[in-house]
Amino acid sequence: MPLVLYNTAARAKQSFQPIEPDNVGMYVCGPTVYDNAHVGNARPIVVFDVLYRLLRRTYPAVTYVRNITDVDDKINAQAKSSGEKIEAITERTIQTFHEDMLALNALPPVHEPRATEHIGRMIDMIQTLIEDGYAYEAEKHILFHVPSMLNYGQLSGRNRSELIDGARVEIAPFKQDPADFVLWKPSTPDIPGWDSPWGIGRPGWHIECSAMSTQYLGNTFDIHGGGRDLIFPHHENEVAQSLCAYPQSKFAKYWVHNGFVTVEGKKMAKSVGNVLSVHELLNDFPGEAIRLTLLSAHYRQPLDFTHEGLKASKKILDRWYRTIGPCKGAAHGTDIDDIPENVIEALNDDLNTPRAISALHGMLDSPHQFRAGANILGLMQEDAETWFHKSADSDELQIQELLSQREAARKERDFKTSDRIREELSQKGVFLEDNPDGTTTWRHQ
RNA sequence: GGCCAGGUGGCGGAGAGGCUACGCACCGGAUUGCAAAUCCGUGUACACCGGUUCGAAUCCGGUCCUGGCCUCCA
């Protein structure tokens, strides 16, 4: 079966037909770098990483673009409250983001454009929109005039009257229509600003993605992804701007949106105090356990991220490392290798990762197949030694010392001492296994 | 109020008119100094009420519940 994706724009699964089979283009909305990535941010990264791996296997080239939003009022607010310089915040956050995503085995995108480096193109687009009558200036703001676009609302399935009915946010008085949105806004000297035909200012939220996606992928490209909360208004407005600025284009052909993450059954929010940052989670769990947890539900389903779930994922990976060992490397299964048919079938069916994982469980007695399947999911990339023994605070020498004491005791059939040492190590989170041949192996719990 | 998802065994989670995945946990057995690991085996499910059908977890209608979005949240 060829690849089928659920296209939000069509509200249906559609078979994937690339515009140019030689080079597939995919744009995914990346992080706003005012704080470290949380598990909700990590979900689309991991989901689209699987899609990227899958596409790379089928097509000769995949241009994967994931932006970094480094100009945003949330960043400005963060700087103001902490006193840290904006560049320091963004650089540090980007650095940590890269480390965290690497720990989740997410491949880097081909391009990772930053908003601040594409202001010129945004200004050009805005100017085109003004010239063609889609945008207007009001009190130093440039606004996109929604009624000027006939089909506005197609992606999210809304019409303007619905929006206005439900509006719960104050409408800026200078808007010609309540649905109009900001393309450019003025900056005061204390916040970042760029020179423009409309004075010193900064871009609105949506325009950066329109400018950067089309710059790297062309005005019409294959896949645009992100969290489903972005469908409206962000992606709807991206579509509006882009289609009006580039009238001959189609913008994105397939819109792919992942479902939300909750934490222990509750919405993750700063106000609830349950935001789980990937960075902190990585102190307690390996990145692959987080990755497997994120892939354990279908990407469009809601995912409840729990401590129990993470432990279950860790346990599954333990078992896999124990029976199969690492799956990294060209020797057995790069992404062009023979991926088992049932794994491919599952992934081709709108990225059904739970089914792919289930297929993996059935392959424990055929390591070669298992490795190729695990590889395309970006799992089992550690070596077993690291997997079982890596720990920030473990003192391996001390463990070895206790192990040899215990071995001596067992030879004497002094099981009291032997069990005492087992218990002592267990307190440190070190788990011992006595093998049938008399040797003892250990691992972190 | 409007729009959109979803409710599957103790838990996680696929499937989508007949064959009733898979994993974790539990229980029984083998093995074991103990424990773990491993192997074998058993059980439990489709929110509720109607309808269509030879047959419904799956289709249709209604009810209840949960979550998301409704102008800068992935």
Side-chain angles (χ1 to χ4, degrees):
Chain A
M1 184 175 75
L3 175 62
V4 167
L5 289 173
Y6 184 89
N7 187 352
T8 306
R11 269 152 240 288
K13 285 190 193 178
Q14 294 182 328
S15 88
F16 177 73
Q17 308 280 0
I19 296 158
E20 270 184 59
D22 289 348
N23 191 353
V24 173
M26 175 163 82
Y27 184 89
V28 174
C29 288
T32 300
V33 286
Y34 70 106
D35 203 356
N36 287 342
H38 53 65
V39 288
N41 303 121
R43 190 178 193 189
I45 305 289
V46 168
V47 164
F48 289 101
D49 183 63
V50 172
L51 181 55
Y52 179 42
R53 288 168 189 263
L54 184 65
L55 290 169
R56 289 209 312 180
R57 181 189 163 270
T58 316
Y59 301 100
V62 180
T63 305
Y64 175 23
V65 181
R66 191 178 64 212
N67 69 297
I68 285 180
T69 300
D70 57 354
V71 49
D72 186 279
D73 285 355
K74 285 197 292 293
I75 302 172
N76 300 340
Q78 180 76 13
K80 204 168 178 183
S81 70
S82 71
E84 195 177 2
K85 286 187 78 170
I86 284 176
E87 295 73 32
I89 293 174
T90 55
E91 285 310 314
R92 174 172 48 78
T93 310
I94 289 168
Q95 171 82 27
T96 307
F97 177 76
H98 285 157
E99 288 168 17
D100 291 348
M101 294 310 116
L102 192 68
L104 298 182
N105 295 343
L107 300 168
V110 176
H111 300 287
E112 195 174 49
R114 301 185 185 189
T116 51
E117 290 166 5
H118 297 78
I119 303 287
R121 187 176 168 87
M122 297 183 214
I123 291 173
D124 290 347
M125 270 188 89
I126 295 170
Q127 225 157 1
T128 306
L129 289 169
I130 295 172
E131 282 161 18
D132 294 348
Y134 294 109
Y136 60 94
E137 183 171 356
E139 297 184 23
K140 305 233 176 192
H141 290 70
I142 308 298
L143 292 131
F144 184 91
H145 191 44
V146 167
S148 70
M149 192 203 183
L150 274 175
N151 295 327
Y152 183 85
Q154 281 206 322
L155 177 66
S156 58
R158 290 160 208 268
N159 59 55
R160 285 197 315 117
S161 59
E162 280 167 15
L163 301 181
I164 296 158
D165 287 349
R168 63 179 181 197
V169 168
E170 268 187 70
I171 293 155
F174 50 78
K175 285 188 179 180
Q176 287 179 9
D177 184 280
D180 291 352
F181 58 89
V182 170
L183 297 169
W184 188 263
K185 52 191 170 184
S187 288
T188 49
D190 57 318
I191 53 175
W194 288 262
D195 198 20
S196 82
W198 322 287
I200 304 287
R202 61 199 198 282
W205 178 31
H206 318 298
I207 193 71
E208 59 164 289
C209 286
S210 291
M212 291 189 278
S213 59
T214 54
Q215 172 166 342
Y216 292 93
L217 298 172
N219 296 162
T220 302
F221 56 93
D222 295 296
I223 297 169
H224 193 129
R228 62 177 303 140
D229 57 317
L230 295 180
I231 297 171
F232 189 89
H234 184 51
H235 289 161
E236 192 67 73
N237 291 347
E238 266 186 60
V239 175
Q241 291 161 353
S242 305
L243 294 187
C244 292
Y246 308 117
Q248 300 310 313
S249 72
K250 293 278 194 298
F251 200 47
K253 193 173 170 191
Y254 300 92
W255 286 89
V256 181
H257 292 103
N258 63 273
F260 240 64
V261 176
T262 52
V263 171
E264 308 288 349
K266 291 200 191 103
K267 179 181 176 169
M268 182 169 57
K270 286 223 164 110
S271 56
V272 187
N274 63 348
V275 176
L276 286 181
S277 89
V278 174
H279 204 66
E280 283 172 35
L281 228 38
L282 284 169
N283 290 328
D284 299 323
F285 288 95
E288 284 190 357
I290 300 171
R291 183 180 177 100
L292 181 60
T293 304
L294 290 171
L295 293 176
S296 68
H298 182 90
Y299 78 92
R300 281 192 285 118
Q301 292 296 117
L303 175 78
D304 191 26
F305 201 92
T306 63
H307 192 78
E308 282 301 308
L310 264 177
K311 284 204 312 212
S313 295
K314 167 75 162 60
K315 201 165 174 178
I316 289 168
L317 290 164
D318 281 347
R319 178 174 144 96
W320 287 354
Y321 274 108
R322 209 180 289 127
T323 48
I324 306 277
C327 303
K328 197 180 185 173
H332 31 43
T334 60
D335 44 12
I336 50 162
D337 230 348
D338 290 341
I339 317 286
E341 202 49 41
N342 50 359
V343 171
I344 286 299
E345 283 285 312
L347 294 180
N348 275 345
D349 184 10
D350 196 29
L351 291 183
N352 196 328
T353 52
R355 219 167 79 204
I357 291 165
S358 163
L360 240 37
H361 282 294
M363 283 170 205
L364 287 172
D365 49 4
S366 38
H368 182 78
Q369 286 201 313
F370 182 96
R371 289 188 183 111
N375 244 356
I376 198 159
L377 288 169
L379 294 169
M380 308 295 290
Q381 304 297 298
E382 305 254 23
D383 55 65
E385 173 71 14
T386 312
W387 178 262
F388 288 116
H389 292 176
K390 187 169 73 181
S391 170
D393 54 355
S394 85
D395 185 349
E396 201 168 330
L397 277 176
Q398 194 196 6
I399 293 168
Q400 292 301 346
E401 171 59 27
L402 285 166
L403 275 184
S404 57
Q405 282 177 25
R406 182 166 174 273
E407 195 185 339
R410 289 181 74 217
K411 278 204 176 111
E412 306 289 322
R413 301 192 68 80
D414 176 3
F415 296 122
K416 213 177 156 186
T417 304
S418 159
D419 286 351
R420 203 203 70 231
I421 293 171
R422 176 196 287 286
E423 177 57 25
E424 188 178 331
L425 282 168
S426 168
Q427 298 286 322
K428 299 176 195 285
V430 174
F431 190 83
L432 303 186
E433 286 178 71
D434 294 330
N435 303 312
D437 62 3
T439 61
T440 298
T441 48
W442 66 275
R443 59 185 158 90
H444 287 286
Q445 265 170 331

